Amino acid sequence: MKTILLSDGRALKLTFEETRKHFLPMIKKTIKQTNNKFIFNFIDEEDFSQELEIELWRAYEGYDFNYGTCFSTYLHYKLKKGVRNVTYSRYTLKNKNNGILSIDTLVNNKDLKLIDILPTIDYSLSNLESNELVRILLENTPPQDRDALQVILDRETFSVSEYAAKHQISRQAANQRIIKLRKHLQKVISEKYLLTND
């Protein structure tokens, strides 16, 4: 039995089963939100739920009330990891949806694979037009610039500072590279996406 701090400020001594019962709605909501956004095949809810319940168990095991963090906050990040685990495994399979690439597919027959840049990108694009936009971005981003594209698409997960540290350059130099790529991609999007989607 552990002391669990709830978001309403109550601190309760709960067994894992009691904790599971209390936070099962949070797991179900996470599954629904994830599956509602996919343009690819949905993830089986039973399999998805099992993965997230494993993360719930890990959260329960690792949680320490003494740090003053609400359990729901601690669990949130564990569930994000569970979602990542489930979606990664799904995308390593060949996608059979009308022309959508597998993440193991080479882009423009080069060394760059979609999987090389997708781990920090939200896969749950809202529609096929968004998928087309991603395809255009990938095809027009040189392999050496894929990290810069990650920053453009998901700065919260891969920041300019992290990019600069990885490439051992100053933050200013990193910003210049990212701005250069962004301008290039804006032009590409204007010519290859916006003009064809009017």
Side-chain angles (χ1 to χ4, degrees):
M1 194 171 280
K2 281 197 159 190
T3 302
I4 302 295
L5 180 62
L6 303 179
S7 56
D8 62 7
R10 290 181 298 152
L12 304 177
K13 284 201 172 289
L14 301 175
T15 64
F16 171 71
E17 279 305 316
E18 291 169 333
T19 304
R20 178 186 176 274
K21 184 177 178 182
H22 188 86
F23 289 96
L24 204 53
M26 187 173 172
I27 288 177
K28 289 181 178 178
K29 182 179 178 184
T30 301
I31 292 170
K32 185 176 180 184
Q33 285 177 338
T34 304
N35 268 338
N36 279 346
K37 294 177 184 177
F38 278 133
I39 59 171
F40 299 110
N41 48 328
F42 289 102
I43 297 167
D44 179 74
E45 288 196 10
E46 190 174 323
D47 293 342
F48 206 162
S49 182
Q50 286 177 0
E51 180 69 33
L52 296 189
E53 286 199 42
I54 289 170
E55 292 303 327
L56 174 59
W57 168 253
R58 288 176 179 154
Y60 182 80
E61 283 289 290
Y63 179 72
D64 188 341
F65 165 77
N66 295 312
Y67 287 115
T69 305
C70 289
F71 185 80
S72 57
T73 303
Y74 188 72
L75 177 59
H76 171 75
Y77 291 101
K78 294 287 186 183
L79 294 182
K80 280 180 75 172
K81 180 177 177 287
V83 169
R84 225 172 30 239
N85 290 344
V86 172
T87 55
Y88 285 179
S89 64
R90 298 290 286 189
Y91 285 95
T92 57
L93 301 174
K94 179 68 178 169
N95 193 316
K96 296 177 182 173
N97 288 345
N98 192 20
I100 299 173
L101 300 173
S102 158
I103 61 168
D104 288 323
T105 303
L106 292 173
V107 178
N108 279 353
N109 296 319
K110 295 180 180 174
D111 292 334
L112 175 65
K113 290 183 178 181
L114 294 181
I115 196 170
D116 292 332
I117 70 161
L118 288 179
T120 57
I121 299 173
D122 181 7
Y123 302 114
S124 50
L125 302 169
S126 60
N127 54 46
L128 290 174
E129 283 188 7
S130 296
N131 190 64
E132 172 68 8
L133 179 56
V134 169
R135 183 188 65 75
I136 291 169
L137 291 174
L138 294 174
E139 287 180 353
N140 291 279
T141 301
Q144 67 270 20
D145 289 336
R146 63 182 183 263
D147 285 342
L149 181 60
Q150 280 184 289
V151 177
I152 292 169
L153 294 176
D154 193 358
R155 190 175 292 239
E156 186 177 320
T157 304
F158 189 54
S159 68
V160 176
S161 297
E162 290 169 318
Y163 174 87
K166 181 175 179 180
H167 292 274
Q168 299 180 331
I169 58 175
S170 69
R171 185 181 166 88
Q172 185 178 4
N175 267 322
Q176 288 172 352
R177 286 188 191 179
I178 291 160
I179 290 168
K180 181 180 177 184
L181 178 62
R182 184 183 286 118
K183 285 181 179 177
H184 165 69
L185 292 176
Q186 284 171 341
K187 184 178 178 186
V188 167
I189 290 167
S190 176
E191 293 172 355
K192 297 188 177 183
Y193 180 76
L194 296 179
L195 292 181
T196 60
N197 287 278
D198 287 339

